[in-house]
Amino acid sequence: MERNIIAILRGVRPDEVLQIAACVVDSGITQIEVPMNSPDVFDSIQLLHDELAEHISVGAGTVTSVNQVKTLESIGIDFIVSPNFDPKVVEATKNAGMLSYPGVITPTECFSALNCGADGLKFFPASLLGEANLMALKAVLPDKIPLYMVGGVGPENFSSWFSAGATGFGIGSGIYKAGDTSQTVALKAKQIVQSYDEAKK
């Protein structure tokens, strides 16, 4: 079963990223993102790419500049996620052959991002958007565009977001926060997957 969950490992360090990622993968999650505001972030992303690229999609988050995109292109990752919509970042990402998921909240941002070539949309913070607004947006957005909810989403509201038309979720502290042990991450990731599967039924 393919699960549209992106595990966001904000704050993870290179010396622990593979152990943490292994716990996430064991739970059944196959997309992992390391945000730019993590320590020695390019080292962590390089390790994920080198060791796990055959098994998962490796991404970078909180990407806000073309220079970051260029460095990530040299590593060869799969997708780039931003907290905002910047046409230059989307275009650089697409030119580099990576999937682009810019952060949006308004109809104008949604359509501008799609017109720039975005592969999907990251609604952030999703808690600000709300399920009712997503439902209204779904009525006008093109079909089959992946819509990921990030920020204020979790087991308690997976079902209502699915009902509103969400494709999937980016989960940060619900799976990992800086300082978590691999055992803690394994437990949290397993609970997220169970809740996701139940909500998807």
Side-chain angles (χ1 to χ4, degrees):
M1 174 183 178
E2 185 186 349
R3 298 179 180 91
N4 293 313
I5 303 172
I6 299 174
I8 303 169
L9 306 185
R10 188 180 308 279
V12 74
R13 302 186 315 270
D15 64 345
E16 63 182 352
V17 67
L18 291 177
Q19 191 176 17
I20 297 293
C23 296
V24 172
V25 175
D26 285 347
S27 76
I29 295 170
T30 57
Q31 299 178 90
I32 295 180
E33 160 198 331
V34 182
M36 286 292 104
N37 52 355
S38 301
D40 301 312
V41 64
F42 294 115
D43 293 342
S44 288
I45 292 172
Q46 184 78 59
L47 282 165
L48 283 179
H49 175 266
D50 292 349
E51 300 296 328
L52 293 173
E54 288 182 20
H55 310 287
I56 64 168
S57 292
V58 177
T62 320
V63 177
T64 55
S65 76
V66 171
N67 283 339
Q68 289 172 338
V69 175
K70 288 177 179 172
T71 304
L72 294 162
E73 178 185 8
S74 70
I75 296 173
I77 61 169
D78 301 297
F79 65 91
I80 281 180
V81 183
S82 298
N84 62 322
F85 164 56
D86 181 334
K88 291 178 182 173
V89 170
V90 173
E91 287 162 9
T93 301
K94 294 312 298 169
N95 288 338
M98 296 179 282
L99 297 174
S100 171
Y101 297 100
V104 297
I105 205 84
T106 67
T108 299
E109 288 174 332
C110 291
F111 282 98
S112 297
L114 294 174
N115 288 338
C116 269
D119 297 281
L121 301 173
K122 166 193 169 178
F123 286 94
F124 174 79
S127 54
L128 184 63
L129 178 75
E131 291 93 322
N133 285 332
L134 177 63
M135 206 175 293
L137 272 173
K138 274 284 288 185
V140 295
L141 287 172
D143 283 343
K144 297 181 181 173
I145 295 292
L147 307 177
Y148 278 83
M149 306 298 123
V150 183
V153 295
E156 70 282 354
N157 54 25
F158 282 158
S159 292
S160 59
W161 279 113
F162 276 136
S163 297
T167 306
F169 307 95
I171 307 292
S173 58
I175 287 177
Y176 172 83
K177 63 174 186 283
D180 278 355
T181 64
S182 54
Q183 290 91 342
T184 299
V185 172
L187 186 62
K188 291 203 288 188
K190 185 179 177 184
Q191 289 171 341
I192 288 287
V193 166
Q194 284 178 340
S195 300
Y196 179 98
D197 290 352
E198 285 167 14
K200 197 77 172 131
K201 284 178 185 172

